[in-house]
Structures are given as structure tokens and as C-alpha cells.
Amino acid sequence: MDKGYVYLVGAGPGDPKLITVKGAECIAKADVLIYDRLASRRLLTLARPDCELIYVGKSPDRHTLRQEEINALLVQKGLEGKIVTRLKGGDPFVFGRGGEEAEDLLQAGIPFDIVPGVTSAISVPAYAGIPVTHRDLTSSFAVITGHEDPTKNSSALAWEHLATAHGTLIFLMGMENLSLIATKLMENGRSPSTPVGIIQWGTRPEQRVLVGELQNIAQLVKEEGFTNPSIIIVGEVVQLREKLQWFEKRPLFGQRIIVTRARHQASALSQGIEDLGGEPWEFPAIEIVPPRDPQPLIQAIKNLKRFEWLIFTSVNGVEEFFKVLMEQGRDVRDLAGMDVVAIGPATRDALEKRCLKVSFVPEEYRAEKIIEGLASRVLPGQSVLLARAEEARDILPESLKALGADVWDVPTYRTVLGNANKEELMKLLEEKAVSAVTFTSSSTVRNFLQLIDGRQSLLDGVKLYSIGPITSKTAQEFGLSIYREAKQYTIKGLLETLARGNEE
């Protein structure tokens, strides 16, 4: 069997967007993904569905595998001919023991790449508003292991030089030795009033920052309960945090928010959450698939000339309708003469991108308001093509029929249970690591409850947000309490509601 290939990849400090492009590519092509505790679990979603995931995380109180065992595992999988990605928090060569892993791979004759990562030594202070260098304060910095006991007889650290030679000192993995580190620095000439910053879980929603001085930082840490993983940064640059902090000021800072939309539609909501400082986790509760019987839509397209009205109640309806329209050898010219109705601005935009002028959009984006707007415009005997979801409510076709219209209620798609990572979702909820869940349709409510096996108690303490009244009504029918409902029934409106809800 041919030998495989191993990528030693730096995952960055925690924010999954801080992984490099090459690092993301290595995850996507891996047969085996070996990851540790400090690599964001969201990065695992970049792996192929058939990728073997192996957790080798280490924490101060628990080691899943010793480093020697991790090295042996990399060699074993490489010798099996696998493409292996070793995902390490931060950078592989900054106290990441990547050099040891590379040496073992070299000895076994297994080819490898080193993919540098964004080191926490620089990025975590940046997320706390602390530049490691500043022209007015310091032009140098040192990155130091905090694992070494400063009191041992033969230290590899020259404390007498470290204390005074560098403007900024950054200690990684040093919380257990914080008091001794502070003492050693003061004994070797650093002023007791030197500013010190402690940054726990930097770049993540759990980020916390504590600022003190060398002489009191150990006591402050004890009082505030700061623990690993934390960065210790010593120097005058720490005082800049007061005016440069930015991460914690964003409206959704600290919020881990579940997005339940179909995967192909989730990006706009997820990106909006990130722009507001939150951390979106995509667990698609629904998937859009063709209707069980495609013939009604095909027949409607063959008879387009008979319709005066064409009504769309979702972007999905637009996309699926035009997909079948093209498959049937037709195009937008076959819709000439029809009045086109869109339920809301997103649906209107999807139609206008296809060069269709929309005749009517209700002020409130739901079926009842379409009826109100069309009551004086749809004439008895006119034909209406209603292109929508297979499981949609009956109110729209029934009301149109009551106006005397000839209604073709044609399913263009249906929603089924999405392919969300159920195990990961349940884990996050059980760990109480979720701040909010967003629902963008009645289907997302029903299917999300199916994903969590109906265990509504998992949502205790979780804020539930709805895109509109129909979705809210479905949630309430299942016994769920909606925390906030969007005033404008759009993704933009939902994002504005999320931001307001976190401020209150």
C-alpha cells in the first residue's frame, strides 16, 4: 500500500474564521482528521461526511492521548495510505509540539506539509484590544511558555533578561504558574505596577478579560475565577485595552446562536450573526427537495398561457419553479402578460434577478395580506398559478377560490428533515452552550424538535427567535415560548431582532 500524506495544520486561536485558506482545504480533503481541544468544533463541519474524526484533546486535568501516542497515531494512519490532517490549536510550531510530530513522520518516511496557523500569542490579545507592539510604548515582544516552573533550579528561561529586555511578554499555558511568574518578573527588575492582562478563551463567545498589575494579578485571578485556557500578557500595551477593545462591544458578543435554515440558505443569516459579533452554528433542520409528484408543476408550465396571475410565497418556490421551467424547454418569455406576486422583498429580489417585474408585494409578508391586497384586483374567472411548498397552509388557495378565481395550487418543492449533526446539536444543548435558536419557518420548528427527540427541556434558558407570526404560532402549538418575533418578516428583520434582544 502506498504511504499517505499528513498535514500538520494550525487551526488558529478559536474563531473558526481565523483558519487559513490552505488549512481549510486540508480539512476538506482529509480521510482522517485528528484534532485537539483548542481547535474549534465548527471546523469539523468542513470535513467530508466519510472522514474519520479522532479527538486527541488534552487539558490540564485530562489527557486523552499522550504526545507519543498522537505521534504514533499519525504514523499509523499515514502508513495505511490515508490523507491525514492533524488540526492543532494556534500554530503547530508555537509550543504546539508540531516539530516532534514532524520528526516522527520523517523517520517513518511519511511525506508531510506544515500549514502555519494564526498563533494565539498575537491574535488573542488583538481580540481583547491589546496590540502586542505599539510605537509609543514598545517595539519588541517575547512569547514564552508558562508551563515551566520559574522556581526550579535549572531554568531554560533567562528571567534576568526577560524581565527587562522585552517590552511585551506573552505567556502561553501559564495560569498554574501565574503567581510564580509575577514574582519572578518583579524579583528581576520588572515594576510591580506593570499592567497585566489575562484573556480566557480568546476569540470565542466565552472570551473574558481581566486587567491588573504584576503585584495583584494573581489575587484578582483567584477572585474572578479565571482558569485555562488563558493568555497572560505583561507590558504597558495592556493599558490600551480600555480604548481599543472592540470584540466585546459588538451587539451579539458572547452569543452562540443556532441557525436552523436549509444549508444552502443559511449563509446570509450566519454571516449577519457573525457581523454582529455572535457565533452561528448551522444545524439545518430542513432540506428542500422536489415534490412527491412533479406532474402538477409540469402540467402548469405546459399551460402557462391560461394564467393571469402567478404567485410565489418563498424564494424556494421561485428557484424550484424556474428550475423546472428550464427543464421543460421554457424560459421567462413564457410568463409574458402575467401579473406576478411575491410574498416579501426576498422573494421579489429572486424574481427581479430573473428579469421579472413584480406587480404586488404585501406590506406584511404573509398569505393573509396577499389576499387583502388582491381582493379588489383578482377578477372572478381569472386563473391563478400558485407556486409554493407542498405542505403550505390552505388559506391562500381557499381565499382565492372564494374570490371566484380558478386556482392551480401547484407544489414546487417540499421540506424534509435536514442533515444536521444531531449528536453535536444535542451535545451543545446539554452543555448549556447555546444562547439562542432561530426559526425561519414552521418547518424549521417541527423538524428541529424532531432533531432533539422532542426533549424541550434542553431549551430551558435558551432564547427562541421567530421570523414571523406563522412561525411563532407553530412554535406555540408545540408548547415553545418565543422570546422575540421579528417585526419585519425577513432575515434582516430577524437579525435586527436578535441584536435588540441581546441589548435588553
Side-chain angles (χ1 to χ4, degrees):
M1 180 182 292
D2 293 336
K3 292 177 182 177
Y5 207 97
V6 177
Y7 297 94
L8 302 178
V9 177
D15 182 341
K17 286 291 185 74
L18 293 182
I19 195 166
T20 64
V21 173
K22 186 171 182 179
E25 290 173 349
C26 291
I27 296 173
K29 62 185 175 184
D31 299 315
V32 181
L33 184 63
I34 299 173
Y35 64 102
D36 66 24
R37 168 173 169 259
L38 298 182
S40 170
R41 281 166 23 199
R42 286 174 64 199
L43 292 175
L44 305 185
T45 63
L46 301 177
R48 301 196 316 259
D50 62 339
C51 179
E52 181 183 5
L53 305 178
I54 303 176
Y55 175 66
V56 294
K58 291 183 280 187
S59 62
D61 59 346
R62 180 173 67 90
H63 282 207
T64 302
L65 288 180
R66 298 193 312 273
Q67 184 62 47
E68 295 76 12
E69 294 173 312
I70 295 173
N71 297 355
L73 180 62
L74 292 171
V75 170
Q76 174 195 332
K77 294 298 181 179
L79 291 175
E80 290 175 3
K82 302 290 181 63
I83 295 176
V84 182
T85 294
R86 168 70 169 112
L87 198 60
K88 304 168 70 68
D91 180 272
F93 280 7
V94 180
F95 304 131
R97 304 189 74 171
E100 299 169 42
E101 295 172 351
E103 286 180 315
D104 278 21
L105 291 168
L106 181 64
Q107 186 175 0
I110 299 170
F112 61 87
D113 277 7
I114 307 297
V115 183
V118 178
T119 174
S120 58
I122 297 172
S123 56
V124 167
Y127 267 58
I130 303 172
V132 297
T133 63
H134 189 280
R135 188 172 64 173
D136 297 333
L137 298 173
T138 181
S139 57
S140 65
F141 69 93
V143 182
I144 309 148
T145 177
H147 267 325
E148 185 180 87
D149 185 345
T151 64
K152 71 181 185 180
N153 293 328
S154 57
S155 174
L157 301 177
W159 290 97
E160 68 277 14
H161 299 301
L162 275 176
T164 56
H166 295 281
T168 303
L169 304 178
I170 303 152
F171 292 87
L172 306 185
M173 307 165 292
M175 290 300 286
E176 292 182 358
N177 293 325
L178 176 60
S179 179
L180 294 171
I181 289 170
T183 299
K184 204 71 174 176
L185 290 173
M186 289 187 287
E187 287 177 351
N188 284 274
R190 201 76 168 206
S191 170
S193 62
T194 302
V196 181
I198 307 295
I199 311 159
Q200 183 179 33
W201 286 115
T203 79
R204 299 176 183 239
E206 299 91 345
Q207 175 174 304
R208 293 202 299 160
V209 182
L210 178 65
V211 173
E213 299 175 346
L214 276 178
Q215 61 192 341
N216 65 6
I217 192 64
Q219 181 60 35
L220 291 175
V221 161
K222 184 177 180 181
E223 292 172 358
E224 297 297 326
F226 275 61
T227 60
N228 277 311
S230 293
I231 299 294
I232 304 166
I233 180 166
V234 180
E236 298 304 318
V237 290
V238 173
Q239 62 187 303
L240 292 172
R241 168 176 162 74
E242 187 172 346
K243 64 178 180 180
L244 295 185
Q245 60 178 293
W246 59 276
F247 188 44
E248 298 102 322
K249 290 186 175 181
R250 296 160 88 185
L252 294 182
F253 167 73
Q255 304 294 299
R256 183 172 285 114
I257 300 171
I258 289 177
V259 175
T260 57
R261 297 191 92 193
R263 193 174 299 282
H264 74 284
Q265 292 182 317
S267 58
L269 180 54
S270 295
Q271 185 59 56
I273 291 170
E274 286 190 340
D275 291 344
L276 292 169
E279 183 182 79
W281 280 68
E282 294 181 5
F283 291 101
I286 62 172
E287 182 179 350
I288 306 303
V289 298
R292 291 181 178 86
D293 183 1
Q295 287 305 312
L297 178 55
I298 292 172
Q299 288 302 313
I301 288 174
K302 289 179 177 179
N303 290 275
L304 286 174
K305 296 301 180 184
R306 68 175 294 162
F307 299 107
E308 285 86 12
W309 294 89
L310 175 57
I311 300 176
F312 292 98
T313 60
S314 69
V315 174
N316 288 324
V318 174
E319 293 175 349
E320 296 303 316
F321 176 87
F322 276 88
K323 179 181 176 182
V324 177
L325 184 74
M326 294 295 290
E327 289 173 351
Q328 293 301 309
R330 307 293 185 93
D331 60 31
V332 70
R333 292 172 295 181
D334 291 284
L335 306 180
M338 291 189 198
D339 280 307
V340 180
V341 177
I343 197 169
T347 306
R348 178 194 60 209
D349 291 346
L351 290 164
E352 289 180 347
K353 286 178 181 177
R354 292 167 170 85
C355 298
L356 272 180
K357 184 175 178 60
V358 176
S359 302
F360 175 69
V361 179
E363 292 183 4
E364 190 175 333
Y365 314 136
R366 53 189 178 125
E368 289 83 348
K369 295 301 178 180
I370 290 180
I371 296 300
E372 289 182 17
L374 296 184
S376 60
R377 302 174 68 174
V378 175
L379 303 177
Q382 287 189 324
S383 293
V384 178
L385 176 54
L386 181 55
R388 60 186 196 143
E390 188 172 289
E391 63 274 9
R393 297 182 300 148
D394 293 331
I395 186 170
L396 188 51
E398 295 302 322
S399 298
L400 288 168
K401 289 175 183 176
L403 296 176
D406 172 28
V407 180
W408 285 41
D409 184 13
V410 176
T412 59
Y413 68 96
R414 61 191 173 100
T415 57
V416 297
L417 187 65
N419 60 345
N421 186 329
K422 181 175 179 176
E423 181 180 339
E424 184 69 32
L425 172 60
M426 299 285 269
K427 185 176 182 180
L428 281 173
L429 290 171
E430 288 168 353
E431 291 174 351
K432 300 298 181 185
V434 174
S435 307
V437 178
T438 58
F439 294 119
T440 54
S441 67
S442 292
S443 296
T444 61
V445 175
R446 289 190 291 267
N447 291 8
F448 182 80
L449 289 175
Q450 189 174 340
L451 283 174
I452 64 172
D453 297 331
R455 294 173 57 191
Q456 296 189 22
S457 60
L458 290 174
L459 299 176
D460 291 347
V462 177
K463 296 177 180 178
L464 306 182
Y465 288 82
S466 162
I467 200 169
I470 304 304
T471 303
S472 298
K473 182 180 178 183
T474 300
Q476 290 156 5
E477 288 172 353
F478 281 99
L480 299 178
S481 177
I482 295 297
Y483 177 72
R484 290 287 186 275
E485 178 183 291
K487 293 181 179 179
Q488 185 181 35
Y489 314 149
T490 62
I491 296 302
K492 180 181 178 182
L494 183 57
L495 287 167
E496 291 172 351
T497 303
L498 279 165
R500 285 196 304 270
N502 195 45
E503 292 170 357
E504 297 172 0

